[in-house]
Amino acid sequence: MAKYVYSFGGKTADGNGKMKELLGGKGANLAEMCLIGLPVPAGFTISTEVCTYFYDNKKTYPAELQKQIETAVAKVEKIIGTKFGDTKKMPLLVAVRSGARDSMPGMMDTILNLGLNDQTVLALVAATNNERFAWDCYRRFIQMYGDVVLGVQKAPDEDHEPFEVVIEGLKTERYQNAEMEDTKLNVADLKELVARFKKLVKSRTGKVFPENPWDQLKGAVGAVFGSWMNDRAKVYRRKYGIPDEWGTAVNVQAMVFGNTGESSGSGVAFTRDPATGEKVFYGEFLMNAQGEDVVAGVRTPDPVAKLNGIMPHAYKELEGVRKTLESHFKDMQDFEFTIQDGKLFMLQTRNGKRTGVAAVRIACEMVKEKLIDWKTGVTRVPADQLEQVLAPIFDRAAVKSAKVIATGLPAGPGAASGKIYFNADRSVEANAKGEKVLLVRVETSPEDLRGMIAAEGILTARGGVSSHAALVARQMGKVCVCGAAALQIDYHKKTLTVGDKTYKEGDFLSIDGTAGTVYAGELKTAPSEIIQGLLHGEKSAQESSTYKNFVQLMDWCKKSTRMTVRTNADNPEQTANAVSFGASGIGLCRTEHMFFEGDRIDAMREMILAETLEDRQKALAKLLPYQREDFLGMFKELKGLPATIRFLDPPLHEFLPNDKESQAALAKKLGVPVEKIASRVHSLHEFNPMLGHRGCRLGISYPEISAMQARAVFEAAAECQKAGVKAKPEIMIPLVGFKKELDLQVAVVHEVAAQVQKEKKVKLSYLVGTMIEVPRGALTADEIAETAEFFSFGTNDLTQTTLGMSRDDSGSFLPHYAESEIVKKNPFATIDQKGAGELMRIAIEKGRSTRENIKLGICGEHGGDPDSVKFCDKLGLDYVSCSPFRVPIARLAAAQAAIAAAK
Ligand code: PEP
Ligand code: MG
């Protein structure tokens, strides 16, 4: 018989920590914690296979499931010594929680205190001798169950949750204070709430609240499986690339109570600081509260260290757990605990989410502590998180003169300025208009996810650093300050008031998520310590531990990588930056970009608009010195590293003077009638410039253009070499689909090379290769490789031409494709492995069939995308090339790919 239910408790478990696919992260780790002897309340996990079955079979369950659940409940009853639905003695109450393979904080549903009804609540009263506690549990249960399972939720036109409205109504009625704390409600109040909640359920759903605990359990399990497909879970999965097929498990676990009185409490803690990575016990707890109160951010919790003063015994035990968890799981853990009447229980542990800065620090320090080896250290930093490490901070001078209007908890590091918006939808709208947005909320809930994605930063008035909002923000690399209690937010008026100052929606604020400060107005930002240390050579920045850890990590990457990382750079400054980041050469110099600036574009336009060879030669003669000078500067910065220089590939629409004003200005400069310019622009007009007269097609029509470029390259190389610095140009011909195109261009290059070497009396070494960026080039790569000494995959064009989707226009329809899950990720950001990626594979195989050791690289934007870098490693490329600031990210991804391949 298939096994769908896995029990745990009493220091044994059916599952273990390795079974995350089947039991989800939470279920697997609950089992593992039991096995290593930590105090875990008994329970069982319904496997992810049941979730898959549920969705494949019209939301029904396998026939065997009910029986297996009953057996598992009986086991829990035996371990705990209580009975589910007992109306005489202490009843067994359970928590029902979701648990996917990867944790999705706050995205799915949880139900606590399940098993309570009008009879069992009385048994609970008798058994605990605590009437208030029992009725508080009951009203919480109805509230959660009503919301999650029965769907009694805020309608779009309502401002508040309906159950909260009932609570506030009662508080106003009985105490004239809607804001008073829930803990002040007495037994009579709670009983009244239970009655009113049930009425609310009846009026909203037309059904009576279920009294039978087994019916309650069935409903809760169904709701948790159902929540796998709720909107916010789907949005979260899309953002983090979690496949729908994984499904969630359901964990049913005996309740322990953090709300039995002043010797109880609940908390969330991290074995190290998840924001900075510092090795301190970090976390929060609330006395006399259930776990949900801590993460929901409704009450602001106390730091965990304070527990030492209140319950030294429990604190000591917790410290022990912290050590056990790290030495067993060998990673920073994020765990939830409850103390019931002085006794500690562990409810969950998982690898803690952390900021990029913390990830680097924890990896480096755990290696130093010999908890992990350095290769494991390299795999511990998600490559795209390095982006956060390189994120800007506020300019120091700007901070000095800025006004701090409030402080809160530093929940997501970095600096952000933006216009404030008070709800998620308006944040999304404003961001779509190109505004920088700060999402400001009293407390955020997972429904705010879209707004958080759109925002530069998030600011809340309530909540702690382990609230879901803060976790999610941190993981997204968003700057976040939470619990800034001085903020008074009026959603209705769309204002935020601090003291006597009021800010309206659309006003600028700035937040520092490292310090937890909120500033009025827009502040200037400054680069991170790593940027300051690496690119600007600032001594004080180089002393910082952030800088040192980063350098350490990059050293490990160097030791373990197979592929190298080059950069896409078009001028000496970009080249210098990339070299500082560890680039091992230039993988793409887009020579047309050298003409964007100043007067240079005029010479370029003159060249494009020339109608005769003579006119073109004249314009080319102006372009040559610009190019030579830039190439020389880049060769010098490279100090002997190779430079792939691509010949002109100007999509004409980017360079032509299309409006009357610029046509008139150019006519004046060139001393020709404006009509002449206008008519030439008209005749050059292309319907589809991206597929038009660009790439090598230009050099085929006008070989003199390629000859000029070759001359600029070789003259610069000769000069550089004479100055004692080796130059290694690799000339790259773009958009080749036919071997003959390449042959014609290569002939021009060789001819000019011979001329320059003779004129300058130097010996130059260089390569000539091509980009593979149209399908025909990939499919005939064997022929092309007879001439090409290297291939570089231009995956921007290869994606465009393989998918038949314009790279410039796809933004208007790709979001619909993502929503309909036609594409899992944007194919212009992450290589479409089955389409464009398959053409790469074919090109490599064919290319190697005629030139065994052909050098292979990639220079499309995908070269800086971690998933694509890993794919390139699998294909066996020699290097990837990406923009300078992504070089560290690509280096890390490349090292991780090599380490994974060696396993
Ligand atoms: C490419 O097509 O991938 C490429 C690198 O060239 P460009 O983006 O300049 O077309
Ligand atoms: Mg291209």
Side-chain angles (χ1 to χ4, degrees), residues 642-673:
T644 306
I645 294 164
R646 181 181 71 186
F647 277 5
L648 286 179
D649 179 10
L652 288 183
H653 63 303
E654 286 178 17
F655 285 90
L656 286 177
N658 286 313
D659 57 287
K660 291 236 153 34
E661 253 168 55
S662 48
Q663 288 177 0
L666 188 67
K668 202 167 157 209
K669 271 190 193 153
L670 301 182
V672 295

Side-chain angles (χ1 to χ4, degrees), residues 588 590 646 649 694 771 773 794-797 807 859-860:
L588 174 64
R590 290 178 166 103
R646 181 181 71 186
D649 179 10
R694 63 180 280 235
M771 293 183 79
E773 51 181 346
T795 42
N796 302 332
D797 278 311
R807 51 198 270 198
C859 62

Side-chain angles (χ1 to χ4, degrees), residues 1 6 20 25 33 74 76 89 118 158 262 274-275 299 348 357 393 519 526 623 625 627 651 721:
M1 196 170 72
Y6 292 75
K20 292 202 170 62
M33 282 198 291
V76 177
K89 295 203 299 277
D118 290 348
E158 289 177 318
E262 290 309 314
R299 274 162 67 191
Q348 143 161 334
V357 177
I393 51 180
Y519 299 96
L623 293 176
Q627 292 234 291
Q721 245 159 250

Side-chain angles (χ1 to χ4, degrees), residues 307-337:
L307 191 61
N308 199 11
I310 303 170
M311 279 193 279
H313 179 73
Y315 182 78
K316 217 167 139 211
E317 203 180 342
L318 212 52
E319 262 287 4
V321 165
R322 175 184 170 219
K323 292 208 179 80
T324 308
L325 286 175
E326 274 212 355
S327 66
H328 185 76
F329 289 97
K330 306 213 180 297
D331 199 354
M332 187 266 272
Q333 296 294 295
D334 157 6
F335 62 95
E336 287 181 21
F337 62 92

Side-chain angles (χ1 to χ4, degrees), residues 611-630:
E611 282 176 283
T612 63
L613 175 62
E614 198 193 339
D615 283 353
R616 197 170 307 107
Q617 297 278 28
K618 237 167 64 193
L620 285 169
K622 291 185 195 165
L623 293 176
L624 184 117
Y626 290 138
Q627 292 234 291
R628 190 176 47 215
E629 187 191 323
D630 278 356

